[in-house]
Amino acid sequence: VKEAGRDFTYFIVVLVGIGVTGGLFYVIFKELFSSSSPSKIYGNALEKCRSHPEVIAVFGESIKGYGEATRRGRRQLVSHVEYMKDGLRHMRLRFYIEGSDTSKRGTVHMEVRESPEGGRLEVRYIFVDVDTYPRRTIVIEDNR
């Protein structure tokens, strides 16, 4: 009886470990490979900025994007807010871009929403606020 109880305890510990590991893999997979994750949306928006002629004219050919700075000085966190409106999921993102000449900087604002027909996210708007002189706003996409 004593040995069976110990074996059962080990079995429970192994099951809990498998469950936690599975949960971690699910969260990592969802964040990295889901088309609706903030990092995937950020990557698509950055590519649109890099290919837009007006943005290239202001910032140059080599455009680098980054998120909010952490306490350690790393700039990997893309600021995003998710909310529900009219029964549809919306997400707003804000990140920063910088040209090859580091004196040229800008802030990119974008919003995506879930399409009414399916779960696909569609871009509502993307615009770039040029933070250096002369200040202006470049509209990349506006589907309001």
Side-chain angles (χ1 to χ4, degrees):
V1 172
K2 183 177 173 184
E3 194 172 314
R6 186 176 58 216
D7 290 345
F8 183 72
T9 304
Y10 290 151
F11 178 72
I12 295 297
V13 168
V14 168
L15 280 181
V16 169
I18 290 172
V20 168
T21 303
L24 287 173
F25 279 130
Y26 172 75
V27 168
I28 290 170
F29 180 80
K30 184 179 174 196
E31 180 64 28
L32 294 178
F33 300 111
S34 171
S35 63
S36 63
S37 72
S39 59
K40 191 76 162 184
I41 295 169
Y42 156 74
N44 293 339
L46 183 59
E47 284 307 312
K48 287 183 181 187
C49 291
R50 287 179 175 156
S51 63
H52 194 271
E54 201 172 345
V55 174
I56 292 171
V58 172
F59 294 97
E61 289 288 331
S62 176
I63 297 174
K64 175 174 78 168
Y66 53 91
E68 302 287 335
T70 63
R71 285 187 284 167
R72 294 184 178 179
R74 296 181 180 169
R75 301 181 294 189
Q76 298 173 343
L77 301 174
V78 175
S79 175
H80 70 282
V81 175
E82 291 186 49
Y83 62 96
M84 295 293 283
K85 182 178 175 185
D86 301 327
L88 299 174
R89 191 175 121 211
H90 289 65
M91 186 184 310
R92 288 188 180 150
L93 281 90
R94 182 182 70 226
F95 61 94
Y96 306 97
I97 59 175
E98 181 176 284
S100 51
D101 176 14
T102 57
S103 65
K104 298 284 188 179
R105 295 181 183 197
T107 305
V108 179
H109 303 272
M110 81 172 297
E111 182 174 331
V112 294
R113 75 168 174 203
E114 190 176 40
S115 66
E117 301 85 38
R120 237 179 98 249
L121 292 177
E122 52 191 31
V123 176
R124 290 195 65 205
Y125 61 79
I126 302 175
F127 63 90
V128 179
D129 283 332
V130 180
D131 296 337
T132 53
Y133 184 80
R135 291 184 179 267
R136 64 183 189 179
T137 301
I138 302 168
V139 177
I140 295 177
E141 197 166 321
D142 191 5
N143 298 332
R144 292 184 195 206

